[in-house]
Amino acid sequence: MPPSSTEPSTQPFGTLGSDPASERDDALVGAAVRAVEATGAHAGSVFLVSPDRRSLVLSAVCGTPPSLLGGWQRIPVSSDIPVAVAYRTGRTVHLAGADETMRRFPQLAMALPYAFGSASVQVKAGDVAFGAMAVVWAAGPGEGEGLSKAQRRRLRATADRLGASLAELDARGALAWSDARTVPVSVPARSAPAVRVGLFDWDLDTGALVADDALCAIFGIAPGEFDGRAATLAARIDDADLPGFRSATRTAAAEGHDLALALHIRGGGHRAVELWGRVPQAPDDRRTRPHLVGAVLDSGTGMAAVEAIERLADGFFALAPDGRVTYANHGLERLLRVRRDDLLGRRPWDVLPWLADPAYEDRYRAAMISQQPVSFLARRPPDPWLVFSLHPGAQGMTGWVARVRGPVPADAGPGAPVADEVAAGPSPPPGAPRLGTLYRVLQLGSALTEAVTAHEVCEVVAEQLLPAVGGQRLALYVVTEGRLHLLSQRGYHQDVLDVLDRFEGAPLRAGLPVSDALLSGAPLFIESRQAFARAYPGFPLSDSGSWAYLPLIASNRPVGACVLAFDEAHRFRDDERDLLTALGGLIAHALERARLYDAEFAVAHGLQDALLPHRLPALPDVRVAGRYLPGTRGMDIGGDWYDVIPTRDGVALVVGDVEGHNVAAAAVMGQLRSAVRAFATAGHRPGDVIASTNRLLLDLDPGLLASCCYVRLTPESGIARVVLAGHCPPLLRRADGDTTVLDLPRGPLLGVTDTAAYPESDVHFPPGAILALYTDGLVERRGADITTGIDRLRAALAHVHAASLEDLADRLLLEARHSPKRMDDIALLLSQSAPVHPRQAAARQGRA
């Protein structure tokens, strides 16, 4: 595997080399910057898929520092978050603003309750998806329509260009993949420079001066019009400053020391600039003509503005995009009672204990993400209340602080928005989780709600939890009769599984890390191999570097344990420990529910297996083939059934469907199957068989309805007598391949009324023909009319070529068998009239 971008480069510091990591980083940074510029967004990010293809790893950002993204630096590929959806589907996920985000991604909106819009696109080349790209922009009241079609097209084009670059690197074996250790490359969004710097090289003997374009612009001269003479630039210096400038220059040249001056430039306004210069040292073996090299700094009105702000009593400060203080005036020192040097380069909430509540940091995040001003109240102990106002921009944020001069509401809490000010979003309560933590809990909780079986719970935990924390291996244990049993594992190699076997069947006793976590009821975090050896001397170590043992406690009893392992030593931060503890509770309750379901399912599945026919009878003149497929969701059993019943004058073919997918449906199905079989073998007419079964269902009063298709087939006459009780129409394929839907009269569903009539219909069933009976699970599709599904089945029956009736049944169910979201169970019964041989025909004529 190519090295990740976290590995040290072999290039010496300061050397512009071209290694795989730097080539990839250049491509990522360029794409992130172009995405922001092409869409007018204020932030852009690129996520690359991890080598195991389970996570999207934040690899480059523009305009938004990685620290602001918190828990979003690793995103499970399977999660319901726009960038992951774009990666999986290849579609552009465009969210115009907060309202659309709430409607389409409610869990994301709850975790990020800010006014912003976003667009996410896949980064792909050919058939290979490398990751996804996203941009974010401010979306205030009214929101508008988000990005225009042209902007979205430019965003996709930028992603395609990046995909092509990554594919080229991959083809050369030079693509540095992202993993849990990858440090994202961060660049600020481009903006017009607030400070201009011009460079010069001045020959003091001849007066010739080489100046770059920026220097010419500072002096108000078009670069193409500059004649290369120092006198031309000197003519632009204010007369009052010119004598001092000339004197200082001569002294510097004569004595060889550095030059530093403040000058005023005429033209285009009277501006103050700063000039720095030095006389280069001449080599000992030769004498050079004296010259001065240096720079001119034009800070515009910046210095005057700083001087003005320093004279104000209110506090003013500037924050970098990552929240670090880059400027603070004297007024801020007085109001916050903290030295300026203690603030610079640090985040306010890391310096001041009374600003350490997560609510205050959230106000900053709200402003940065929404790019909308935010104002809030904060109390500096012992009593003064201060009002903070934050004004964001692409390069960071400007802040203002003043004493509150009016009454403060009695219920004002941390980060409470100022009255009559519009805040970017609701403030979390004290102790609220940091960005991303809430979403992890919501996302895993939602996915676990949909998980039904213990196997599905294990899949969800592995897919969601490992990418969220950057772990490489996971093991889930259950407690049965006081002993540990491995339920599922992900990421362990065979040689490491021997270590897991040490826990298999082990009783809950002290001395094992899993048992210790379960007995104490508290998570156990081991951050290094050395710490593990100290805590459990003599216990065999795997090749992991750190571990988290999460006890799964539900209903005040141990359900199991979740073990997370990391390749390298891993420091578990407080917020990460809180997150894992909360997720452990969710996993425990989901696993307990799933194990109860699995136990009930085992009973139900055994019941249904006993009720369905294991072998169909061999018939002399008719071939039959039956299939049953349970649904893939819910109890995985249902009320569908089929049966083949030999009778005195032929054979009865039955397919039925009891509503529901549970034990009750399976029990009613068994009763109806037995009833139909009894009435059919007793010689009742087809209509009477169904009518009697209907009355029996009403007498049982299970509160369930059922449909049924009953066919009495007489091979000698070639007549099939059909009765439908609210059931799908049969299909008939003749020997020449012509296939029709038998649109026959139908009676009502079974269990509706005891006076229902069930008409009989005769259908010609010629030799070689195939009759197909089925339940609606085979033809129903969500959002489509059932007649469309029936016609699709008719076409398949007409055109599928199969060597036998059994093979035909398998081919008709091929698509349904491989569908992961089959909501209903399916029963299919095929029958084929055997061709009549001449000897059989003569025998029949003789009997006639």
Side-chain angles (χ1 to χ4, degrees):
M1 180 183 299
S4 74
S5 63
T6 57
E7 296 180 2
S9 170
T10 57
Q11 299 290 343
F13 180 76
T15 299
L16 294 179
S18 179
D19 58 14
S22 62
E23 287 187 72
R24 187 202 70 161
D25 290 347
D26 291 347
L28 296 178
V29 168
V33 172
R34 285 192 297 272
V36 170
E37 293 176 345
T39 58
H42 69 258
S45 55
V46 179
F47 292 81
L48 296 185
V49 68
S50 60
D52 60 11
R53 309 197 77 80
R54 292 205 302 254
S55 309
L56 291 174
V57 182
L58 181 64
S59 302
V61 292
C62 173
T64 301
S67 60
L68 186 68
L69 300 178
W72 307 103
Q73 296 192 36
R74 288 185 306 273
I75 297 174
V77 165
S78 60
S79 64
D80 189 23
I81 189 171
V83 70
V85 173
Y87 169 76
R88 291 197 310 269
T89 65
R91 297 193 299 268
T92 300
V93 181
H94 178 255
L95 305 172
D99 290 344
E100 189 173 3
T101 302
M102 175 61 77
R103 185 172 65 253
R104 296 175 56 186
F105 297 91
Q107 293 177 344
L108 175 64
M110 291 177 65
L112 295 174
Y114 312 128
F116 68 93
S118 67
S120 303
V121 295
Q122 187 186 57
V123 176
K124 183 179 182 182
D127 295 330
V128 180
F130 292 98
M133 173 185 293
V135 293
V136 176
W137 61 89
E143 296 186 350
E145 298 181 358
L147 300 183
S148 66
K149 290 183 178 179
Q151 288 174 317
R152 278 177 266 177
R153 186 167 56 250
R154 290 195 291 269
L155 178 62
R156 288 191 293 267
T158 301
D160 291 342
R161 289 175 59 187
L162 175 59
S165 299
L166 296 177
E168 191 272 333
L169 288 171
D170 194 25
R172 293 193 282 112
L175 179 58
W177 292 92
S178 295
D179 58 25
R181 297 170 296 168
T182 297
V183 177
V185 184
S186 179
V187 294
R190 292 175 180 169
S191 64
V195 176
R196 294 185 296 176
V197 178
L199 304 178
F200 65 87
D201 187 333
W202 182 9
D203 187 321
L204 299 178
D205 278 350
T206 65
L209 187 143
V210 179
D212 65 1
D213 291 350
L215 188 86
C216 294
I218 291 173
F219 279 80
I221 301 174
E225 299 176 0
F226 179 53
D227 58 9
R229 296 172 57 249
T232 303
L233 296 182
R236 300 281 179 148
I237 299 176
D238 187 88
D239 292 341
D241 293 338
L242 197 54
F245 165 69
R246 290 171 175 165
S247 177
T249 303
R250 288 191 296 268
T251 303
E255 300 179 3
H257 63 67
D258 293 343
L259 175 68
L261 289 173
L263 302 172
H264 292 83
I265 303 297
R266 295 179 299 186
H270 202 72
R271 302 189 319 282
V273 300
E274 296 180 48
L275 182 145
W276 290 281
R278 67 180 180 85
V279 178
Q281 295 294 323
D284 295 336
D285 59 345
R286 64 185 179 91
R287 183 174 181 82
T288 60
R289 299 167 64 176
H291 65 286
L292 193 70
V293 295
V296 173
L297 171 68
D298 178 13
S299 59
T301 59
M303 295 305 298
V306 169
E307 292 174 1
I309 291 175
E310 289 292 340
R311 291 190 289 268
L312 297 176
D314 292 342
F316 289 88
F317 60 94
L319 300 178
D322 64 357
R324 298 181 187 275
V325 177
T326 57
Y327 169 75
N329 73 337
H330 288 299
L332 188 72
E333 287 184 300
R334 291 189 293 269
L335 286 172
L336 303 186
R337 294 180 180 173
V338 63
R339 294 175 61 248
R340 181 160 31 184
D341 290 344
D342 293 335
L343 277 176
L344 293 177
R346 302 177 66 186
R347 298 176 179 88
W349 45 88
D350 292 335
V351 178
L352 302 169
W354 50 277
L355 283 181
D357 193 289
Y360 298 118
E361 185 179 356
D362 185 73
R363 307 312 296 166
Y364 152 76
R365 295 185 191 278
M368 282 300 298
I369 294 175
S370 69
Q371 289 290 289
Q372 299 294 320
V374 170
S375 298
F376 60 91
L377 298 174
R379 182 172 178 267
R380 189 202 72 201
D383 53 12
W385 282 86
L386 304 175
V387 56
F388 285 74
S389 183
L390 305 179
H391 298 263
Q395 301 300 315
M397 187 177 301
T398 300
W400 166 77
V401 183
R403 294 180 183 273
V404 176
R405 295 174 175 80
V408 177
D411 58 349
V418 178
D420 299 326
E421 293 282 344
V422 178
S427 176
R434 292 178 180 269
L435 182 64
T437 302
L438 177 60
Y439 180 83
R440 299 297 185 202
V441 176
L442 292 172
Q443 177 72 8
L444 183 61
S446 175
L448 288 174
T449 300
E450 298 179 4
V452 177
T453 67
H455 173 74
E456 290 177 351
V457 169
C458 294
E459 287 296 308
V460 167
V461 172
E463 292 295 330
Q464 296 287 334
L465 194 55
L466 281 177
V469 298
Q472 285 73 47
R473 285 170 289 283
L474 177 144
L476 272 175
Y477 288 89
V478 293
V479 177
T480 303
E481 297 180 352
R483 293 182 177 272
L484 290 168
H485 297 280
L486 181 64
L487 180 62
S488 176
Q489 64 87 17
R490 179 73 66 88
Y492 285 95
H493 301 298
Q494 186 58 46
D495 55 338
V496 185
L497 289 176
D498 296 338
V499 177
L500 298 183
D501 290 341
R502 293 288 299 267
F503 299 125
E504 183 62 30
L508 293 181
R509 57 177 176 78
L512 295 176
V514 177
S515 297
D516 287 350
L518 278 168
L519 292 173
S520 67
L524 175 62
F525 299 100
I526 303 178
E527 298 184 335
S528 67
R529 295 172 63 87
Q530 294 79 7
F532 191 101
R534 287 194 300 270
Y536 300 96
F539 194 90
L541 280 170
S542 67
D543 57 356
S544 299
S546 55
W547 299 261
Y549 297 89
L550 308 179
L552 306 181
I553 309 295
S555 304
N556 294 321
R557 66 182 185 86
V559 175
C562 178
V563 181
L564 290 168
F566 300 77
D567 282 343
E568 307 293 338
H570 182 86
R571 181 179 177 274
F572 296 94
R573 304 182 308 273
D574 289 343
D575 59 338
E576 192 172 30
R577 293 181 181 227
D578 293 342
L579 169 64
L580 290 172
T581 302
L583 295 181
L586 292 177
I587 297 169
H589 286 89
L591 189 58
E592 181 185 43
R593 184 185 69 247
R595 294 183 68 191
L596 291 174
Y597 166 86
D598 286 343
E600 183 180 355
F601 167 76
V603 174
H605 196 270
L607 171 63
Q608 186 174 49
D609 188 59
L611 294 176
L612 287 172
H614 292 172
R615 184 178 61 218
L616 295 178
L619 304 171
D621 299 320
V622 179
R623 301 187 185 98
V624 290
R627 297 290 186 272
Y628 173 78
L629 285 182
T632 57
R633 303 296 297 173
M635 186 58 75
D636 200 25
I637 65 170
D640 288 15
W641 91 93
Y642 64 89
D643 206 354
V644 178
I645 310 167
T647 63
R648 287 176 295 184
D649 54 354
V651 60
L653 310 172
V654 188
V655 165
D657 182 1
V658 179
E659 64 177 342
H661 304 88
N662 48 35
V663 176
V668 172
M669 176 269 285
Q671 292 171 312
L672 294 186
R673 176 173 177 264
S674 298
V676 171
R677 176 171 281 270
F679 295 137
T681 53
H684 289 278
R685 293 175 56 86
D688 293 337
V689 169
I690 297 304
S692 299
T693 305
N694 175 55
R695 287 191 293 272
L696 173 66
L697 181 59
L698 288 167
D699 290 341
L700 294 173
D701 192 24
L704 298 175
L705 302 177
S707 68
C708 185
C709 176
Y710 181 92
V711 179
R712 189 180 69 186
L713 180 61
T714 307
E716 290 189 358
S717 65
I719 297 297
R721 183 155 291 178
V722 183
V723 177
L724 295 175
H727 201 81
C728 302
L731 304 179
L732 180 65
R733 188 179 88 173
R734 297 172 178 82
D736 60 2
D738 180 55
T739 306
T740 58
V741 178
L742 301 179
D743 189 11
L744 306 173
R746 287 189 289 182
L749 291 167
L750 302 178
V752 175
T753 173
D754 58 359
T755 61
Y758 295 95
E760 301 177 1
S761 302
D762 288 344
V763 175
H764 180 54
F765 191 46
I770 296 176
L771 185 68
L773 311 183
Y774 54 93
T775 55
D776 56 8
L778 183 57
V779 293
E780 277 190 326
R781 297 289 187 275
R782 180 175 294 179
D785 188 84
I786 191 172
T787 56
T788 303
I790 293 174
D791 189 64
R792 187 185 302 111
L793 179 61
R794 181 201 62 76
L797 181 62
H799 297 102
V800 168
H801 298 285
S804 65
L805 202 64
E806 296 286 342
D807 185 34
L808 178 61
D810 289 334
R811 289 176 178 268
L812 291 177
L813 291 180
L814 186 62
E815 180 182 353
R817 193 182 298 277
H818 291 89
S819 173
K821 297 182 179 180
R822 190 173 61 252
M823 302 304 295
D824 202 357
D825 47 344
I826 297 171
L828 173 68
L829 181 61
L830 301 181
S831 59
Q832 183 178 31
S833 175
V836 179
H837 295 287
R839 185 178 301 175
Q840 292 175 316
R844 291 177 181 176
Q845 289 178 357
R847 287 195 300 270

